[in-house]
């Protein structure tokens, strides 16, 4: 008994924010230099009344437009840090909005940039333990709602999106070995401090400054960029080698590496450390930005359009938590 990725679809909000738009807001910053280093030209942002669940519904409706029978779905996994409500679970609402069967499982899990690879492993576990046969894995994020309007850096980096993936039971086992890592000591390196159980949302919040010319408050997203980079540089190259050992493969036996699309500078830094050829290392962040848990399924969908034969693809996610995970998938067709 095994599991395969059967289909992926993704959606983006209509509103596009280009680097020129940001340049008009922040005339003292060189966005051309930013573009050359980070690799992002534009990103999509939800409207005021549009939520991650709205995007999730659209992505799922798109995947059901094809030959996927939604009546065969027997489990929903929804990865989001942008839930519709503190409670109830957004996955339960998604089940109703999609008119799926009621005798199915549905759960949210709160992970960011490592969420998609976590989700694939959870889905495989449900399938090989004979608890489900066809799983709808959804990632949906709207970090733009958490970013202060004067936080130039985070507004430049993050975009909103949703992706839907169908993982199905198969006689083939195209989802290989996965590994995980956690360092909760770095929880405050990427954080929204207010609005949960620890700290209430503060209507009289204090404006704080970090980096060069960035403003935020404890109601908003804070990212310690240098610390996140250091964590990634120290952990992910070694972790990738551990993944190769887990799957009994050498670096050059992987057809394509698809990492979380954080930024091009960070990705190329790790690629060189692991000694991966650029032709075997996929980057597609240019017109999406960092869409958190959606970057890997978006990249995997885009890359799959080029596949003409069976390919082994290593997926690696890392970020907020601090959390990381990854594993091997085999793709035989355009998704």
């Amino acid at each position: 008994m095994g599991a395969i990725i059967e289909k992926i679809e993704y959606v983006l909000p209509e509103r596009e924010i280009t680097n020129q738009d940001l340049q008009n807001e922040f005339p003292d910053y060189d966005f051309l230099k930013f573009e050359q280093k980070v690799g992002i030209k534009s990103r999509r942002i939800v409207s005021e009344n549009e939520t991650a669940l709205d995007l999730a519904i659209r992505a799922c409706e798109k995947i059901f437009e094809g030959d996927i029978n939604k009546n065969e779905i027997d489990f929903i996994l929804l990865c989001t840090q942008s839930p519709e409500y503190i409670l109830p679970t957004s996955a339960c609402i998604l089940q109703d909005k999609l008119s799926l069967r009621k005798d199915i499982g549905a759960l949210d899990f709160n992970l960011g940039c490592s969420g998609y690879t976590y989700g694939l492993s959870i889905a495989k576990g449900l399938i090989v333990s004979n608890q489900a046969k066809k799983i709808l894995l959804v990632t949906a994020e709207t970090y733009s709602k958490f970013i202060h309007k004067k936080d130039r850096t985070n507004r430049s980096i993050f975009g909103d999106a949703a992706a839907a993936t169908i993982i199905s039971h198969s006689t083939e086992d195209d989802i290989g070995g996965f590994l995980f890592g956690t360092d909760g000591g770095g929880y405050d390196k990427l954080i929204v401090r207010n609005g949960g159980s620890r700290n209430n949302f503060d209507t009289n919040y204090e404006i704080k400054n970090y980096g060069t010319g960035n403003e935020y408050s404890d109601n908003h997203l804070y990212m310690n960029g240098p610390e996140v980079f250091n964590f990634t540089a120290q952990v992910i190259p070694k972790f990738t080698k551990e993944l190769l050992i887990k799957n009994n493969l050498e670096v050059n036996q992987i057809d394509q590496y698809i990492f979380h699309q954080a930024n091009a500078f960070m990705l190329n830094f790790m690629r060189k450390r692991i000694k991966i050829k650029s032709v075997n290392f996929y980057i597609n962040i240019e017109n999406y930005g960092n869409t958190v848990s959606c970057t890997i399924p978006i990249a995997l969908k885009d890359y799959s359009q080029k596949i003409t034969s069976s390919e082994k693809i290593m997926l690696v996610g890392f970020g907020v938590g601090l959390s990381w995970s990854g594993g091997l998938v085999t793709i035989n067709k355009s998704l």
Side-chain angles (χ1 to χ4, degrees):
M1 183 182 293
I4 62 169
I5 297 175
E6 191 173 346
K7 188 73 175 175
I8 299 176
E9 294 290 357
Y10 65 84
V11 297
L12 305 168
E14 290 186 10
R15 184 184 175 199
E16 181 180 27
I17 304 295
T18 66
N19 286 349
Q20 185 58 56
D21 294 327
L22 292 173
Q23 186 73 72
N24 294 339
E25 286 192 57
F26 303 98
D28 296 332
Y29 186 73
D30 187 349
F31 278 92
L32 178 59
K33 185 177 179 180
F34 163 84
E35 184 177 309
Q36 292 169 342
K37 181 177 181 179
V38 179
I40 300 171
K41 289 185 176 181
S42 65
R43 69 290 295 152
R44 299 292 188 92
I45 301 300
V46 290
S47 62
E48 182 178 353
N49 297 318
E50 191 174 20
T51 69
L53 182 61
D54 293 330
L55 294 180
I57 292 168
R58 285 177 50 205
C60 294
E61 289 175 341
K62 187 175 181 181
I63 212 166
F64 292 138
E65 288 174 357
D67 56 0
I68 301 295
N69 183 354
K70 71 178 184 178
N71 293 320
E72 294 180 354
I73 300 298
D74 48 17
F75 215 108
I76 303 170
L77 296 170
L78 174 56
C79 176
T80 185
Q81 295 186 316
S82 310
E84 195 81 345
Y85 308 103
I86 292 177
L87 57 91
T89 301
S90 296
C92 293
I93 304 172
L94 185 60
Q95 173 273 330
D96 179 67
K97 295 295 185 182
L98 297 175
S99 299
L100 299 182
R101 291 168 21 217
K102 295 183 179 179
D103 60 334
I104 69 173
L107 64 85
D108 291 359
F109 62 104
N110 181 327
L111 278 172
C113 311
S114 64
Y116 186 72
T117 42
Y118 258 90
L120 285 179
S121 183
I122 294 168
K124 178 181 177 179
L126 288 167
I127 288 171
V128 300
S129 61
N130 204 30
Q131 297 182 80
K133 290 186 179 297
K134 193 177 290 285
I135 295 173
L136 175 62
L137 169 61
V138 184
T139 59
E141 288 298 352
T142 52
Y143 265 33
S144 66
K145 289 181 176 289
F146 307 144
I147 300 174
H148 192 279
K149 64 180 181 179
K150 294 295 185 181
D151 187 345
R152 183 199 66 224
T153 296
N154 282 331
R155 286 188 61 194
S156 303
I157 291 171
F158 290 101
D160 301 332
T165 303
I166 301 294
I167 301 103
S168 301
H169 165 270
S170 174
T171 55
E172 303 295 325
D173 194 8
D174 288 347
I175 299 179
F178 278 68
L179 292 173
F180 310 91
T182 306
D183 180 6
Y187 78 95
D188 58 350
K189 306 308 178 190
L190 219 170
I191 189 172
V192 179
R193 292 186 178 276
N194 292 348
S197 298
R198 177 61 58 187
N199 303 306
N200 292 329
F201 188 86
D202 184 1
T203 55
N204 298 308
Y205 60 80
E206 174 191 356
I207 294 294
K208 300 182 178 182
N209 296 284
Y210 75 99
T212 304
N214 296 301
E215 295 183 1
Y216 80 108
S217 80
D218 286 342
N219 290 344
H220 297 94
L221 179 71
Y222 165 77
M223 180 171 66
N224 186 326
E227 288 296 321
V228 172
F229 180 89
N230 289 339
F231 141 71
T232 305
Q234 291 169 12
V235 170
I236 300 306
K238 180 176 181 289
F239 178 69
T240 304
K241 293 175 183 177
E242 292 169 352
L243 277 172
L244 290 166
I245 293 169
K246 171 76 172 178
N247 289 281
N248 298 310
L249 293 167
E250 301 290 337
V251 171
N252 58 7
Q253 290 179 298
I254 299 296
D255 295 294
Q256 197 69 205
Y257 291 82
I258 297 180
F259 283 22
H260 163 56
Q261 304 287 296
N263 70 67
F265 177 79
M266 178 186 288
L267 289 167
N268 279 310
F269 178 88
M270 288 187 292
R271 176 184 67 79
K272 292 172 184 176
R273 275 219 169 168
I274 306 167
K275 298 181 180 179
I276 302 169
K277 296 177 182 178
S278 58
V279 70
N280 301 117
F281 195 84
Y282 192 65
I283 299 177
N284 74 332
I285 197 172
E286 184 176 67
N287 294 314
Y288 304 117
N290 180 342
T291 56
V292 196
S293 59
C294 299
T295 70
I296 292 177
I298 289 173
L300 186 54
K301 170 71 176 183
D302 285 358
Y303 177 72
S304 77
Q305 310 308 302
K306 305 177 182 182
I307 291 177
T308 57
S309 60
S310 178
E311 292 197 15
K312 289 182 173 63
I313 301 175
M314 187 67 79
L315 307 177
V316 182
F318 48 86
V320 59
L322 298 169
S323 171
W324 59 100
S325 68
L328 180 71
V329 298
T330 301
I331 303 299
N332 304 294
K333 60 172 185 170
S334 174
L335 296 172

